[in-house]
Amino acid sequence: MHKPASDDVTSLHDLSAVDLIVGYRARQFSPSEVMDEVLAQVALWEPHIKALYLLDVDGARAAAKASTERWAKDEPVGSLDGVPATVKDNIATKGQPMPLGAASVTRAPLAADAPPVARLREAGAIIFAKTTMPDYGMLSSGLSSFHPLTRNPWDLRMNPGGSSAGAGAAAAAGYGPLHVGTDIGGSIRLPASWCGLVGLKPSFGRVPIDPPYVGRVAGPMTRIVDDAALMMSVLSKPDRRDGTSLPPSDLHWKVAEKPARKLRIGLMLDLGGVGQPLEEPVRATTLAAARAFESAGAVISEVKGVLTREMLDGLDNFWRARLWDDLARLAPEVRAKTLPYILQWAERGAALSGVEVIRGFNVTMTLRAAAAKLFGEYDYIISPTSPGVKFPAEYASPVNDPQAPFEHITYTVPWNMSENPAISVNAGYDDDGFPIGLQIIGRRFDDLGVLGLAKTFEGLRGEQRPWPVAPAA
């Protein structure tokens, strides 16, 4: 475990995006100065955590110089002008390859930016690198057949989680304030929990994405709720390439604290024995969060989980068959480059019947119905983000068994399938000082309410530990 910084002066690389914009406007510092500090932080941390792919130092400095010149004329191009940002490997960037974390994927320059990248560039953000992920995004881990092993800055022996592994590690290490991940079963929220971050899985369709898929979203990974909201004001802008995206809206993304008084909040701890057992530090931290909301006037009631063993196994079958469809198209020698854990998991998809696969897909409808019923009675649900506190960096998943790959996503995956917005926000630490996330879930399309309640919780939770510092070289 690394010792935290002892001084009280906030470094430029640790400033929030909100504070960076204020500082640029007041000419307290420039985008070039900020970018130089971020790159220096990358140089300190990257040999230890391996969070980045396609780091573009020269391009970042050139973009920062251009932004500095715009701010000197009071002519920012957008709401994120000069703010450093990263995007996940699986979000297309024009002229760069997209390996999806897998050595089995052909790497060729792409013709266009995906919607999240296009929106960030339009707003003036400086995308200086992409972040690592496991093969095809099918692990909650920093393990990959293509990228080096990504580690958690809070403890280098531990996993940052995934599949937005590099994004989580980069945000915790201070690689600037804004990071974009994707989430189809917990891939934003789980690394956010294990890295002490704010990670928002928006309502399905709120952020246009290409290609779209059942339950798949892109969303912000930041250190504070205000930065997540600022990112959403940009990422949620329309893009016609996503036929599943929501209609354009005039939502006001400057989020205020949402009063907890009289809110009906369900506390979801009991999953009926489905998945990985809930570890005691996570239970205690979640109960403390519930008490904090209750002290603020919320009405807390315990609720049972909506996910059953049959549902989790059904999703497992559906996803195995989906990935095997992709892998089966590859030449055997190319397919063999896939991470063995992933390949062993996906191969079983070949033996599934059509009825078994469609039964797995139909779980998405069952979960949507269960969530709709639950939110007929409650305004919000709170739960652990992950049942476990941490797991070794070398593991492919907390259980590390390809035949039981999703035991740790039992609190997160229902809300992808039901399309509800859900956020992970740091709620406390274990005895070693390792972060533990709280998940807040809202009704479909209530992204603002979820952000607002998370901002309220930032004011209710205990004192936060300083961010980790890089070990000596």
Side-chain angles (χ1 to χ4, degrees), residues 244-272:
T244 68
S245 61
L246 298 175
S249 67
D250 56 356
L251 292 177
H252 182 63
W253 290 99
K254 188 172 176 60
V255 173
E257 292 185 9
K258 187 177 186 68
R261 182 170 173 76
K262 295 186 177 180
L263 286 180
R264 299 168 299 168
I265 298 180
L267 170 62
M268 186 177 287
L269 292 171
D270 180 13
L271 299 185

PDB file of all heavy atoms in Angstrom, residues 244-272:
ATOM      1  N   THR A 244     -30.317   3.370 -31.195  1.00  0.00           N
ATOM      2  CA  THR A 244     -30.965   3.064 -29.917  1.00  0.00           C
ATOM      3  C   THR A 244     -30.909   4.240 -28.943  1.00  0.00           C
ATOM      4  O   THR A 244     -31.368   4.128 -27.809  1.00  0.00           O
ATOM      5  CB  THR A 244     -30.300   1.849 -29.238  1.00  0.00           C
ATOM      6  OG1 THR A 244     -28.977   2.201 -28.818  1.00  0.00           O
ATOM      7  CG2 THR A 244     -30.245   0.662 -30.174  1.00  0.00           C
ATOM      8  N   SER A 245     -30.332   5.362 -29.373  1.00  0.00           N
ATOM      9  CA  SER A 245     -30.153   6.474 -28.448  1.00  0.00           C
ATOM     10  C   SER A 245     -31.465   7.196 -28.190  1.00  0.00           C
ATOM     11  O   SER A 245     -32.403   7.167 -28.999  1.00  0.00           O
ATOM     12  CB  SER A 245     -29.109   7.457 -28.982  1.00  0.00           C
ATOM     13  OG  SER A 245     -29.504   8.002 -30.222  1.00  0.00           O
ATOM     14  N   LEU A 246     -31.528   7.851 -27.038  1.00  0.00           N
ATOM     15  CA  LEU A 246     -32.717   8.596 -26.645  1.00  0.00           C
ATOM     16  C   LEU A 246     -32.828   9.875 -27.467  1.00  0.00           C
ATOM     17  O   LEU A 246     -31.825  10.387 -27.985  1.00  0.00           O
ATOM     18  CB  LEU A 246     -32.647   8.945 -25.159  1.00  0.00           C
ATOM     19  CG  LEU A 246     -32.606   7.763 -24.190  1.00  0.00           C
ATOM     20  CD1 LEU A 246     -32.423   8.256 -22.756  1.00  0.00           C
ATOM     21  CD2 LEU A 246     -33.874   6.936 -24.303  1.00  0.00           C
ATOM     22  N   PRO A 247     -34.034  10.434 -27.574  1.00  0.00           N
ATOM     23  CA  PRO A 247     -34.186  11.704 -28.290  1.00  0.00           C
ATOM     24  C   PRO A 247     -33.376  12.806 -27.615  1.00  0.00           C
ATOM     25  O   PRO A 247     -33.128  12.754 -26.402  1.00  0.00           O
ATOM     26  CB  PRO A 247     -35.693  12.001 -28.176  1.00  0.00           C
ATOM     27  CG  PRO A 247     -36.325  10.697 -27.844  1.00  0.00           C
ATOM     28  CD  PRO A 247     -35.318   9.920 -27.064  1.00  0.00           C
ATOM     29  N   PRO A 248     -32.926  13.794 -28.381  1.00  0.00           N
ATOM     30  CA  PRO A 248     -32.210  14.919 -27.773  1.00  0.00           C
ATOM     31  C   PRO A 248     -33.037  15.549 -26.659  1.00  0.00           C
ATOM     32  O   PRO A 248     -34.265  15.636 -26.755  1.00  0.00           O
ATOM     33  CB  PRO A 248     -32.023  15.893 -28.942  1.00  0.00           C
ATOM     34  CG  PRO A 248     -32.092  15.033 -30.166  1.00  0.00           C
ATOM     35  CD  PRO A 248     -33.055  13.933 -29.841  1.00  0.00           C
ATOM     36  N   SER A 249     -32.371  15.975 -25.584  1.00  0.00           N
ATOM     37  CA  SER A 249     -33.084  16.560 -24.449  1.00  0.00           C
ATOM     38  C   SER A 249     -32.370  17.822 -24.006  1.00  0.00           C
ATOM     39  O   SER A 249     -31.215  18.067 -24.367  1.00  0.00           O
ATOM     40  CB  SER A 249     -33.160  15.567 -23.290  1.00  0.00           C
ATOM     41  OG  SER A 249     -31.860  15.332 -22.772  1.00  0.00           O
ATOM     42  N   ASP A 250     -33.057  18.615 -23.227  1.00  0.00           N
ATOM     43  CA  ASP A 250     -32.470  19.848 -22.716  1.00  0.00           C
ATOM     44  C   ASP A 250     -32.196  19.720 -21.220  1.00  0.00           C
ATOM     45  O   ASP A 250     -32.366  20.662 -20.453  1.00  0.00           O
ATOM     46  CB  ASP A 250     -33.389  21.043 -22.979  1.00  0.00           C
ATOM     47  CG  ASP A 250     -34.791  20.857 -22.410  1.00  0.00           C
ATOM     48  OD1 ASP A 250     -35.072  19.763 -21.870  1.00  0.00           O
ATOM     49  OD2 ASP A 250     -35.603  21.795 -22.507  1.00  0.00           O
ATOM     50  N   LEU A 251     -31.774  18.522 -20.793  1.00  0.00           N
ATOM     51  CA  LEU A 251     -31.469  18.307 -19.386  1.00  0.00           C
ATOM     52  C   LEU A 251     -30.380  19.273 -18.924  1.00  0.00           C
ATOM     53  O   LEU A 251     -29.410  19.520 -19.633  1.00  0.00           O
ATOM     54  CB  LEU A 251     -31.002  16.866 -19.149  1.00  0.00           C
ATOM     55  CG  LEU A 251     -32.053  15.768 -19.328  1.00  0.00           C
ATOM     56  CD1 LEU A 251     -31.407  14.398 -19.133  1.00  0.00           C
ATOM     57  CD2 LEU A 251     -33.205  15.942 -18.360  1.00  0.00           C
ATOM     58  N   HIS A 252     -30.561  19.784 -17.723  1.00  0.00           N
ATOM     59  CA  HIS A 252     -29.584  20.695 -17.132  1.00  0.00           C
ATOM     60  C   HIS A 252     -28.639  19.872 -16.277  1.00  0.00           C
ATOM     61  O   HIS A 252     -28.994  19.404 -15.197  1.00  0.00           O
ATOM     62  CB  HIS A 252     -30.301  21.760 -16.291  1.00  0.00           C
ATOM     63  CG  HIS A 252     -29.378  22.760 -15.680  1.00  0.00           C
ATOM     64  ND1 HIS A 252     -28.590  23.615 -16.435  1.00  0.00           N
ATOM     65  CD2 HIS A 252     -29.094  23.047 -14.385  1.00  0.00           C
ATOM     66  CE1 HIS A 252     -27.879  24.381 -15.634  1.00  0.00           C
ATOM     67  NE2 HIS A 252     -28.154  24.056 -14.389  1.00  0.00           N
ATOM     68  N   TRP A 253     -27.408  19.693 -16.750  1.00  0.00           N
ATOM     69  CA  TRP A 253     -26.494  18.748 -16.130  1.00  0.00           C
ATOM     70  C   TRP A 253     -25.664  19.341 -14.998  1.00  0.00           C
ATOM     71  O   TRP A 253     -24.793  18.666 -14.460  1.00  0.00           O
ATOM     72  CB  TRP A 253     -25.572  18.138 -17.193  1.00  0.00           C
ATOM     73  CG  TRP A 253     -26.292  17.212 -18.117  1.00  0.00           C
ATOM     74  CD1 TRP A 253     -26.756  17.488 -19.364  1.00  0.00           C
ATOM     75  CD2 TRP A 253     -26.648  15.847 -17.862  1.00  0.00           C
ATOM     76  NE1 TRP A 253     -27.372  16.387 -19.906  1.00  0.00           N
ATOM     77  CE2 TRP A 253     -27.324  15.368 -19.009  1.00  0.00           C
ATOM     78  CE3 TRP A 253     -26.468  14.991 -16.781  1.00  0.00           C
ATOM     79  CZ2 TRP A 253     -27.808  14.075 -19.097  1.00  0.00           C
ATOM     80  CZ3 TRP A 253     -26.951  13.696 -16.866  1.00  0.00           C
ATOM     81  CH2 TRP A 253     -27.609  13.246 -18.010  1.00  0.00           C
ATOM     82  N   LYS A 254     -25.887  20.605 -14.647  1.00  0.00           N
ATOM     83  CA  LYS A 254     -25.206  21.155 -13.472  1.00  0.00           C
ATOM     84  C   LYS A 254     -25.973  20.670 -12.243  1.00  0.00           C
ATOM     85  O   LYS A 254     -27.006  21.219 -11.877  1.00  0.00           O
ATOM     86  CB  LYS A 254     -25.152  22.677 -13.516  1.00  0.00           C
ATOM     87  CG  LYS A 254     -24.280  23.280 -12.417  1.00  0.00           C
ATOM     88  CD  LYS A 254     -24.097  24.772 -12.614  1.00  0.00           C
ATOM     89  CE  LYS A 254     -23.320  25.385 -11.460  1.00  0.00           C
ATOM     90  NZ  LYS A 254     -21.973  24.819 -11.302  1.00  0.00           N
ATOM     91  N   VAL A 255     -25.471  19.617 -11.624  1.00  0.00           N
ATOM     92  CA  VAL A 255     -26.241  18.869 -10.632  1.00  0.00           C
ATOM     93  C   VAL A 255     -26.099  19.479  -9.246  1.00  0.00           C
ATOM     94  O   VAL A 255     -24.992  19.795  -8.796  1.00  0.00           O
ATOM     95  CB  VAL A 255     -25.774  17.392 -10.604  1.00  0.00           C
ATOM     96  CG1 VAL A 255     -26.424  16.634  -9.468  1.00  0.00           C
ATOM     97  CG2 VAL A 255     -26.098  16.732 -11.938  1.00  0.00           C
ATOM     98  N   ALA A 256     -27.231  19.640  -8.572  1.00  0.00           N
ATOM     99  CA  ALA A 256     -27.262  20.061  -7.174  1.00  0.00           C
ATOM    100  C   ALA A 256     -27.540  18.845  -6.298  1.00  0.00           C
ATOM    101  O   ALA A 256     -28.027  17.812  -6.779  1.00  0.00           O
ATOM    102  CB  ALA A 256     -28.341  21.122  -6.965  1.00  0.00           C
ATOM    103  N   GLU A 257     -27.215  18.953  -5.014  1.00  0.00           N
ATOM    104  CA  GLU A 257     -27.533  17.874  -4.091  1.00  0.00           C
ATOM    105  C   GLU A 257     -29.037  17.634  -4.087  1.00  0.00           C
ATOM    106  O   GLU A 257     -29.825  18.571  -4.100  1.00  0.00           O
ATOM    107  CB  GLU A 257     -27.062  18.215  -2.676  1.00  0.00           C
ATOM    108  CG  GLU A 257     -25.558  18.252  -2.533  1.00  0.00           C
ATOM    109  CD  GLU A 257     -25.126  18.469  -1.089  1.00  0.00           C
ATOM    110  OE1 GLU A 257     -26.002  18.422  -0.195  1.00  0.00           O
ATOM    111  OE2 GLU A 257     -23.925  18.679  -0.855  1.00  0.00           O
ATOM    112  N   LYS A 258     -29.415  16.362  -4.083  1.00  0.00           N
ATOM    113  CA  LYS A 258     -30.828  15.999  -4.043  1.00  0.00           C
ATOM    114  C   LYS A 258     -31.225  15.759  -2.588  1.00  0.00           C
ATOM    115  O   LYS A 258     -30.652  14.877  -1.931  1.00  0.00           O
ATOM    116  CB  LYS A 258     -31.086  14.743  -4.867  1.00  0.00           C
ATOM    117  CG  LYS A 258     -32.562  14.397  -5.002  1.00  0.00           C
ATOM    118  CD  LYS A 258     -32.740  13.191  -5.902  1.00  0.00           C
ATOM    119  CE  LYS A 258     -34.222  12.945  -6.152  1.00  0.00           C
ATOM    120  NZ  LYS A 258     -34.836  14.012  -6.969  1.00  0.00           N
ATOM    121  N   PRO A 259     -32.171  16.520  -2.048  1.00  0.00           N
ATOM    122  CA  PRO A 259     -32.571  16.304  -0.649  1.00  0.00           C
ATOM    123  C   PRO A 259     -33.037  14.869  -0.426  1.00  0.00           C
ATOM    124  O   PRO A 259     -33.849  14.337  -1.189  1.00  0.00           O
ATOM    125  CB  PRO A 259     -33.708  17.313  -0.453  1.00  0.00           C
ATOM    126  CG  PRO A 259     -33.488  18.353  -1.494  1.00  0.00           C
ATOM    127  CD  PRO A 259     -32.905  17.636  -2.677  1.00  0.00           C
ATOM    128  N   ALA A 260     -32.506  14.238   0.614  1.00  0.00           N
ATOM    129  CA  ALA A 260     -32.875  12.851   0.915  1.00  0.00           C
ATOM    130  C   ALA A 260     -34.180  12.754   1.693  1.00  0.00           C
ATOM    131  O   ALA A 260     -34.770  11.666   1.757  1.00  0.00           O
ATOM    132  CB  ALA A 260     -31.762  12.181   1.710  1.00  0.00           C
ATOM    133  N   ARG A 261     -34.640  13.842   2.261  1.00  0.00           N
ATOM    134  CA  ARG A 261     -35.813  13.825   3.121  1.00  0.00           C
ATOM    135  C   ARG A 261     -37.026  13.223   2.408  1.00  0.00           C
ATOM    136  O   ARG A 261     -37.391  13.632   1.308  1.00  0.00           O
ATOM    137  CB  ARG A 261     -36.132  15.233   3.605  1.00  0.00           C
ATOM    138  CG  ARG A 261     -37.315  15.309   4.559  1.00  0.00           C
ATOM    139  CD  ARG A 261     -37.433  16.693   5.185  1.00  0.00           C
ATOM    140  NE  ARG A 261     -38.648  16.821   5.964  1.00  0.00           N
ATOM    141  CZ  ARG A 261     -38.833  16.297   7.171  1.00  0.00           C
ATOM    142  NH1 ARG A 261     -37.868  15.603   7.738  1.00  0.00           N
ATOM    143  NH2 ARG A 261     -39.970  16.468   7.817  1.00  0.00           N
ATOM    144  N   LYS A 262     -37.599  12.226   3.024  1.00  0.00           N
ATOM    145  CA  LYS A 262     -38.815  11.531   2.576  1.00  0.00           C
ATOM    146  C   LYS A 262     -38.620  10.677   1.325  1.00  0.00           C
ATOM    147  O   LYS A 262     -39.597  10.105   0.824  1.00  0.00           O
ATOM    148  CB  LYS A 262     -39.975  12.508   2.378  1.00  0.00           C
ATOM    149  CG  LYS A 262     -40.441  13.181   3.665  1.00  0.00           C
ATOM    150  CD  LYS A 262     -41.675  14.028   3.445  1.00  0.00           C
ATOM    151  CE  LYS A 262     -42.159  14.636   4.754  1.00  0.00           C
ATOM    152  NZ  LYS A 262     -43.364  15.479   4.581  1.00  0.00           N
ATOM    153  N   LEU A 263     -37.408  10.580   0.823  1.00  0.00           N
ATOM    154  CA  LEU A 263     -37.179   9.658  -0.290  1.00  0.00           C
ATOM    155  C   LEU A 263     -37.351   8.224   0.188  1.00  0.00           C
ATOM    156  O   LEU A 263     -36.914   7.858   1.281  1.00  0.00           O
ATOM    157  CB  LEU A 263     -35.769   9.819  -0.855  1.00  0.00           C
ATOM    158  CG  LEU A 263     -35.467  11.049  -1.708  1.00  0.00           C
ATOM    159  CD1 LEU A 263     -34.016  11.016  -2.159  1.00  0.00           C
ATOM    160  CD2 LEU A 263     -36.400  11.131  -2.918  1.00  0.00           C
ATOM    161  N   ARG A 264     -37.988   7.406  -0.635  1.00  0.00           N
ATOM    162  CA  ARG A 264     -38.135   5.981  -0.337  1.00  0.00           C
ATOM    163  C   ARG A 264     -36.955   5.255  -0.970  1.00  0.00           C
ATOM    164  O   ARG A 264     -36.880   5.136  -2.191  1.00  0.00           O
ATOM    165  CB  ARG A 264     -39.453   5.458  -0.882  1.00  0.00           C
ATOM    166  CG  ARG A 264     -40.695   6.124  -0.291  1.00  0.00           C
ATOM    167  CD  ARG A 264     -41.936   5.764  -1.089  1.00  0.00           C
ATOM    168  NE  ARG A 264     -41.797   6.223  -2.476  1.00  0.00           N
ATOM    169  CZ  ARG A 264     -42.609   5.858  -3.465  1.00  0.00           C
ATOM    170  NH1 ARG A 264     -43.599   5.013  -3.246  1.00  0.00           N
ATOM    171  NH2 ARG A 264     -42.429   6.335  -4.693  1.00  0.00           N
ATOM    172  N   ILE A 265     -36.042   4.805  -0.139  1.00  0.00           N
ATOM    173  CA  ILE A 265     -34.816   4.172  -0.631  1.00  0.00           C
ATOM    174  C   ILE A 265     -34.789   2.717  -0.186  1.00  0.00           C
ATOM    175  O   ILE A 265     -34.916   2.413   1.005  1.00  0.00           O
ATOM    176  CB  ILE A 265     -33.564   4.903  -0.109  1.00  0.00           C
ATOM    177  CG1 ILE A 265     -33.544   6.350  -0.629  1.00  0.00           C
ATOM    178  CG2 ILE A 265     -32.298   4.166  -0.530  1.00  0.00           C
ATOM    179  CD1 ILE A 265     -32.336   7.152  -0.167  1.00  0.00           C
ATOM    180  N   GLY A 266     -34.644   1.824  -1.149  1.00  0.00           N
ATOM    181  CA  GLY A 266     -34.523   0.405  -0.859  1.00  0.00           C
ATOM    182  C   GLY A 266     -33.063   0.036  -0.660  1.00  0.00           C
ATOM    183  O   GLY A 266     -32.200   0.425  -1.448  1.00  0.00           O
ATOM    184  N   LEU A 267     -32.791  -0.709   0.395  1.00  0.00           N
ATOM    185  CA  LEU A 267     -31.440  -1.192   0.695  1.00  0.00           C
ATOM    186  C   LEU A 267     -31.340  -2.646   0.251  1.00  0.00           C
ATOM    187  O   LEU A 267     -31.992  -3.523   0.814  1.00  0.00           O
ATOM    188  CB  LEU A 267     -31.152  -1.057   2.190  1.00  0.00           C
ATOM    189  CG  LEU A 267     -29.867  -1.724   2.712  1.00  0.00           C
ATOM    190  CD1 LEU A 267     -28.627  -1.116   2.058  1.00  0.00           C
ATOM    191  CD2 LEU A 267     -29.791  -1.615   4.234  1.00  0.00           C
ATOM    192  N   MET A 268     -30.541  -2.894  -0.788  1.00  0.00           N
ATOM    193  CA  MET A 268     -30.430  -4.230  -1.369  1.00  0.00           C
ATOM    194  C   MET A 268     -29.118  -4.879  -0.944  1.00  0.00           C
ATOM    195  O   MET A 268     -28.058  -4.568  -1.479  1.00  0.00           O
ATOM    196  CB  MET A 268     -30.529  -4.163  -2.900  1.00  0.00           C
ATOM    197  CG  MET A 268     -30.559  -5.519  -3.583  1.00  0.00           C
ATOM    198  SD  MET A 268     -30.750  -5.383  -5.385  1.00  0.00           S
ATOM    199  CE  MET A 268     -32.472  -4.890  -5.501  1.00  0.00           C
ATOM    200  N   LEU A 269     -29.206  -5.750   0.030  1.00  0.00           N
ATOM    201  CA  LEU A 269     -28.058  -6.528   0.486  1.00  0.00           C
ATOM    202  C   LEU A 269     -28.235  -8.014   0.205  1.00  0.00           C
ATOM    203  O   LEU A 269     -27.303  -8.699  -0.192  1.00  0.00           O
ATOM    204  CB  LEU A 269     -27.831  -6.323   1.989  1.00  0.00           C
ATOM    205  CG  LEU A 269     -27.368  -4.942   2.455  1.00  0.00           C
ATOM    206  CD1 LEU A 269     -27.400  -4.863   3.976  1.00  0.00           C
ATOM    207  CD2 LEU A 269     -25.968  -4.622   1.934  1.00  0.00           C
ATOM    208  N   ASP A 270     -29.436  -8.498   0.409  1.00  0.00           N
ATOM    209  CA  ASP A 270     -29.741  -9.929   0.303  1.00  0.00           C
ATOM    210  C   ASP A 270     -30.043 -10.310  -1.134  1.00  0.00           C
ATOM    211  O   ASP A 270     -31.053  -9.878  -1.702  1.00  0.00           O
ATOM    212  CB  ASP A 270     -30.939 -10.255   1.207  1.00  0.00           C
ATOM    213  CG  ASP A 270     -31.325 -11.734   1.141  1.00  0.00           C
ATOM    214  OD1 ASP A 270     -30.531 -12.533   0.598  1.00  0.00           O
ATOM    215  OD2 ASP A 270     -32.416 -12.070   1.634  1.00  0.00           O
ATOM    216  N   LEU A 271     -29.165 -11.121  -1.724  1.00  0.00           N
ATOM    217  CA  LEU A 271     -29.378 -11.601  -3.093  1.00  0.00           C
ATOM    218  C   LEU A 271     -29.812 -13.057  -3.124  1.00  0.00           C
ATOM    219  O   LEU A 271     -29.749 -13.718  -4.161  1.00  0.00           O
ATOM    220  CB  LEU A 271     -28.100 -11.416  -3.925  1.00  0.00           C
ATOM    221  CG  LEU A 271     -27.593  -9.986  -4.087  1.00  0.00           C
ATOM    222  CD1 LEU A 271     -26.401  -9.953  -5.034  1.00  0.00           C
ATOM    223  CD2 LEU A 271     -28.684  -9.063  -4.586  1.00  0.00           C
ATOM    224  N   GLY A 272     -30.242 -13.559  -1.997  1.00  0.00           N
ATOM    225  CA  GLY A 272     -30.745 -14.924  -1.948  1.00  0.00           C
ATOM    226  C   GLY A 272     -29.703 -15.982  -2.240  1.00  0.00           C
ATOM    227  O   GLY A 272     -30.028 -17.048  -2.777  1.00  0.00           O
TER     228      GLY A 272
END
